[in-house]
Amino acid sequence: MSDWVPTTCMRCAVGCGHMQRGADIGYGVDMVRGDAAHPVNQGLACARGIQESRDPDGKWLSRPLVRDDGELRTTTWDVALARATQGLREAHERDPDSVAVLGSGQQTNEAAYALGKVARGGFGTRNYDANTTLCMASAVTAYYQAFGSDAPPCTYDDIEDAERHVVWGANPAVAHPVMFRWISEAAEQTELITVDPIRSETAENSDHHVAPDPGKDLALARAVLALLVETDRVDEAFVEAATDGFEELLATLPTAAEAAEDAGVAMDDVELLADAMDHRALLYWGMGINQHVQGTETARALVDLTLATGNLRPGGGPFSLTGQANSMGTRICSSKGSWPGQRAFGDPDHRRLVAEEWGVPVDRLPDDTGPGPVGMLEDGPDAVWAVATNPVAGMPEADSARTQLEDAFLVAQDAFHTETTDLADVVLPAATWGESEGTTTNMERTISRVRAATDVPSGVRTDLDIIATVGSRLFPGLFESTSPEPSDVFAEFAGLTEGTVADCSGITYERLDGSHAVRWPAADEESSGGYRYYENDGEMDAAESWSFPTATGNAQFSTGRQHELPEPTDESYPLTLTTAREADGYNTGVRSRGGATGPLVARIHPDTAGLHADRAVRNRLTVVSRRGSATVHIDRDEGVPRGMVWLPIHHPATNRLTLSECDPESDEPHFKQCAVKLVAPETELSTARSD
């Protein structure tokens, strides 16, 4: 019988420790359970994480494929790699920026680091990013602007100590079940408030539900702050000691009543939230905030609430809930938005150090981070290399994204069949969870091991092996080996972070073998990170102080103001579409929908469905936006406000409808609100036309 192997769940970003056991005959993971020895979850595990690790329902890729005469055909690795490197090389020789590389929060730290090394140090392209920008970039940008570093100050330890829990634009009951159990248990002694236009599963399990108008979260946050100011509940000592910009913020604030009206909420709701923030409060937020053209400004406004109330101490603070398993690792490892360890992209000293470490000319490294995933495709790249991501389904305005990818030489590297592998010129089958070695980083900055419980199947290679092989063929000498050991790659990455705000140089595989998990920053083998920016010696009566890696050493307030939505409703498109997660819909559902798309189900208020009943055929209607259309099955749900249509964001048909407008500060798309109408299914169009 196979031995149990300790590893980390790669389902979401909670980072639960798992124990996995490989099949006794053949390949695959036979059994999965929570790891009681892992410090993150101490044995807890959700059914989703266990099921999708043990028996994912996707259609596996088991052999390389190349397109000949318009058809994808099985081939050998030598042929597939030769075809991939030829197409990428030809594009690179025309212009480094004609190569677009798109990574993923599903990669290990080591694979993410290696892909960034090839993209930035090999190709030297600006057009490199990851699908994490589609969900987390606004939170990342807000942290940088407010604190000088992309380091969530809070940790899981703070959940138990908080006096109030405010979940804003997130649904952890669905997205992070183990974490939501901690929040729910802690809230039994306190209060849990959910802010969401939809009565989500989290709202159903909360003490209070505040429902602003769609996309008006910034107005609501400013209403709460205005009320705190008007009622003298600002922590003036903290503001004076540790922040800048409060007076400038005050000059922009409307009255609480004005902002509440703009947000579409009653003053009682504003008072409820103001009271919560007047306690030791954890304020969690997710994609409901980030996926907005003002996502960064809205996330900044939530941070402002924690600053104004002095909620930047253990037991409180702003906690961005990361979606994908290794989104945080992609942020610190992959060179997409900063060099490893959050080294500033434009800093010449950091650029020089990275170039020297990689053994490449410094002028090969791009001097800006690029236009983001949407801009990458809009630039019309000649070649695209997509790793562990499905842009054909996951990008906004998906019909346009498909056209752009059809026009490019496309290399798709994945473990499962996707809409993107269907479109590719070369498909490189990659190992999945339970078959790969490496590390991952969860949303509270904790790094832990990912281990293989079974051999890599014949015909499949690990992400790291594929990336290093392609990189070495294109750029000899970039890697010391075409099959580097993950521990060596991690050591190279960790060494590059030494002395940075995201210092991981004190973390090694040997240390992780002994302690299971270490939270960064960890500058030596004894240290590990705790609550960020707050400083005292741990004594109850110790003097408090704060330190931020900003130009002034202080945290920064913001002055964002609520704008109109990029596509408001009108007579032609009178309904608002919003999108969110389903429990089995992560990562375009490729691990959970069995290789088949399945029906698209729209949640609609019964009154709204009733107004369109004469158009429905067998409980089906077609949702039409100015970009596309999709036929849906109707789920009458009183938790969805009248005049709204709710669709699962990871269904491949949903993003045919969504907007490609992006937050100008973070490049994150506005997935959450657009104008739509409902028509009879017979009138569905392949591409909807504007009126």
Side-chain angles (χ1 to χ4, degrees):
M1 183 175 291
S2 300
D3 293 331
W4 286 99
V5 176
T7 187
T8 306
C9 178
M10 294 292 284
R11 175 58 175 170
C12 77
V14 174
C16 295
H18 273 186
M19 297 293 289
Q20 297 183 353
R21 194 168 71 187
D24 289 329
I25 300 175
Y27 303 102
V29 175
D30 180 53
M31 298 185 69
V32 181
R33 59 175 170 81
D35 183 359
H38 199 283
V40 166
N41 59 312
Q42 299 176 352
L44 287 177
C46 71
R48 261 194 356 244
I50 290 175
Q51 173 64 21
E52 288 202 13
S53 298
R54 181 186 62 204
D55 189 23
D57 202 23
K59 182 179 178 182
W60 295 76
L61 297 171
S62 59
R63 294 283 301 277
L65 306 170
V66 296
R67 188 170 299 279
D68 285 327
D69 297 325
E71 297 291 328
L72 281 173
R73 307 181 191 280
T74 58
T75 189
T76 65
W77 270 101
D78 283 342
V79 170
L81 289 169
R83 185 77 64 87
T85 54
Q86 177 186 359
L88 293 169
R89 179 182 291 113
E90 289 174 354
H92 179 247
E93 288 173 349
R94 287 190 290 273
D95 180 357
D97 291 336
S98 71
V99 178
V101 181
L102 190 62
S104 168
Q106 296 296 293
Q107 299 172 269
T108 62
N109 290 321
E110 294 76 8
Y113 173 79
L115 187 65
K117 187 175 183 179
V118 175
R120 300 301 200 191
F123 292 115
T125 182
R126 294 177 65 248
N127 286 316
Y128 164 58
D129 215 301
N131 59 15
T132 54
T133 295
L134 302 178
C135 54
M136 295 307 304
S138 294
V140 170
T141 306
Y143 277 142
Y144 270 118
Q145 292 178 355
F147 302 137
S149 167
D150 170 24
C154 317
T155 74
Y156 298 154
D157 297 335
D158 298 304
I159 295 173
E160 185 177 359
D161 296 332
E163 296 173 344
R164 294 290 187 274
H165 300 267
V166 180
V167 178
W168 200 316
N171 190 10
V174 163
H176 306 101
V178 170
M179 185 179 186
F180 187 66
R181 176 171 171 176
W182 300 331
I183 295 171
S184 298
E185 289 177 349
E188 289 177 1
Q189 309 302 319
T190 59
E191 282 189 0
L192 172 58
I193 304 167
T194 294
V195 182
D196 197 317
I198 306 295
R199 189 162 182 80
S200 65
E201 291 85 347
T202 299
E204 288 281 358
N205 290 280
S206 298
D207 299 294
H208 307 282
H209 175 213
V210 177
D213 287 345
K216 292 300 185 74
D217 300 276
L218 178 52
L220 178 55
R222 284 166 63 82
V224 176
L225 181 54
L227 185 59
L228 289 165
V229 171
E230 292 166 9
T231 53
D232 297 321
R233 286 182 281 181
V234 172
D235 187 336
E236 295 180 358
F238 172 80
V239 170
E240 176 66 25
T243 72
D244 294 326
F246 190 59
E247 292 301 320
E248 291 81 356
L249 170 56
L250 289 179
T252 72
L253 274 183
T255 67
E258 290 170 339
E261 182 178 5
D262 190 13
V265 301
M267 280 301 297
D268 286 349
D269 289 333
V270 178
E271 173 56 44
L272 176 72
L273 291 166
D275 176 73
M277 297 308 301
D278 197 33
H279 290 76
R280 186 168 55 194
L282 274 174
L283 200 169
Y284 316 83
W285 81 91
M287 290 193 292
I289 298 300
N290 298 332
Q291 290 179 331
H292 191 289
V293 290
Q294 289 188 273
T296 299
E297 290 182 317
T298 308
R300 289 289 306 274
L302 299 185
V303 173
D304 288 344
L305 290 176
T306 67
L307 297 179
T309 55
N311 267 303
L312 210 67
R313 299 174 171 92
F319 203 163
S320 165
L321 301 183
T322 306
Q324 291 189 73
N326 200 28
S327 179
M328 175 64 74
T330 303
R331 287 143 65 179
I332 63 169
C333 292
S334 73
S335 302
K336 78 177 192 71
S338 65
W339 301 117
Q342 297 185 14
R343 294 182 181 277
F345 218 82
D347 186 299
D349 292 333
H350 289 317
R351 286 166 50 78
R352 191 176 305 109
L353 185 149
V354 171
E356 289 174 355
E357 176 65 34
W358 289 351
V360 301
V362 69
D363 59 2
R364 182 182 297 177
L365 304 182
D367 55 11
D368 70 78
T369 58
V374 172
M376 285 167 49
L377 295 189
E378 288 178 345
D379 284 348
D382 293 335
V384 177
W385 183 9
V387 180
T389 188
N390 186 15
V392 172
M395 294 287 284
E397 201 167 335
D399 286 343
S400 176
R402 170 183 284 272
T403 298
Q404 291 152 350
L405 289 165
E406 284 175 336
D407 291 341
F409 174 79
L410 177 59
V411 179
Q413 177 175 324
D414 214 311
F416 295 93
H417 166 273
T418 71
E419 288 73 18
T420 302
T421 61
D422 264 352
L423 203 65
D425 296 284
V426 180
V427 177
L428 304 176
T432 185
W433 316 333
E435 302 168 353
S436 301
E437 296 283 335
T439 58
T440 187
T441 313
N442 74 1
M443 72 174 81
E444 60 149 9
R445 298 177 273 114
T446 295
I447 294 176
S448 58
R449 283 295 310 277
V450 175
R451 294 181 175 88
T454 183
D455 292 335
V456 177
S458 175
V460 172
R461 296 189 180 188
T462 68
D463 274 331
L464 178 58
D465 181 59
I466 297 169
I467 293 163
T469 299
V470 172
S472 295
R473 290 190 178 197
L474 289 167
F475 311 106
L478 191 63
F479 294 95
E480 292 184 2
S481 167
T482 57
S483 298
E485 289 295 325
S487 58
D488 293 337
V489 176
F490 184 87
E492 181 179 317
F493 149 72
L496 262 176
T497 70
E498 184 175 1
T500 69
V501 294
D503 196 330
C504 299
S505 60
I507 305 175
T508 63
Y509 272 38
E510 291 75 20
R511 184 179 180 185
L512 293 174
D513 288 342
S515 60
H516 293 276
V518 179
R519 188 185 300 123
W520 66 262
D524 56 62
E525 293 186 0
E526 302 299 322
S527 65
S528 63
Y531 197 96
R532 291 292 282 153
Y533 316 120
Y534 176 77
E535 299 178 343
N536 69 15
D537 62 6
E539 298 295 330
M540 292 294 294
D541 58 352
E544 293 185 313
S545 64
W546 291 263
S547 177
F548 303 92
T550 61
T552 65
N554 288 334
Q556 305 295 306
F557 279 100
S558 67
T559 58
R561 310 181 193 196
Q562 180 76 58
H563 302 320
E564 292 302 314
L565 296 179
E567 189 178 67
T569 58
D570 56 22
E571 290 184 2
S572 299
Y573 295 88
L575 305 176
T576 298
L577 170 68
T578 193
T579 63
R581 289 180 181 144
E582 289 181 310
D584 62 350
Y586 260 72
N587 307 112
T588 67
V590 297
R591 297 180 70 93
S592 57
R593 51 184 164 94
T597 300
L600 178 59
V601 178
R603 294 164 57 189
I604 303 174
H605 192 280
D607 291 351
T608 304
L611 292 174
H612 298 82
D614 60 336
R615 305 172 193 176
V617 177
R618 294 187 298 277
N619 200 43
R620 295 163 66 244
L621 287 165
T622 294
V623 185
V624 182
S625 77
R626 290 181 172 86
R627 290 152 298 281
S629 64
T631 295
V632 301
H633 292 257
I634 304 302
D635 176 13
R636 291 161 179 80
D637 186 346
E638 292 185 352
V640 177
R642 295 170 179 84
M644 289 188 70
V645 177
W646 184 102
L647 290 178
I649 194 169
H650 292 303
H651 191 285
T654 295
N655 281 323
R656 299 183 64 202
L657 311 174
T658 54
L659 288 165
S660 58
E661 275 81 356
C662 294
D663 181 315
E665 299 182 71
S666 68
D667 295 322
E668 182 162 352
H670 186 99
F671 283 106
K672 289 305 178 194
Q673 299 90 26
C674 68
V676 297
K677 59 185 176 183
L678 294 173
V679 301
E682 288 78 8
T683 65
E684 182 180 6
L685 305 174
S686 60
T687 302
R689 295 184 294 272
S690 298
D691 289 352

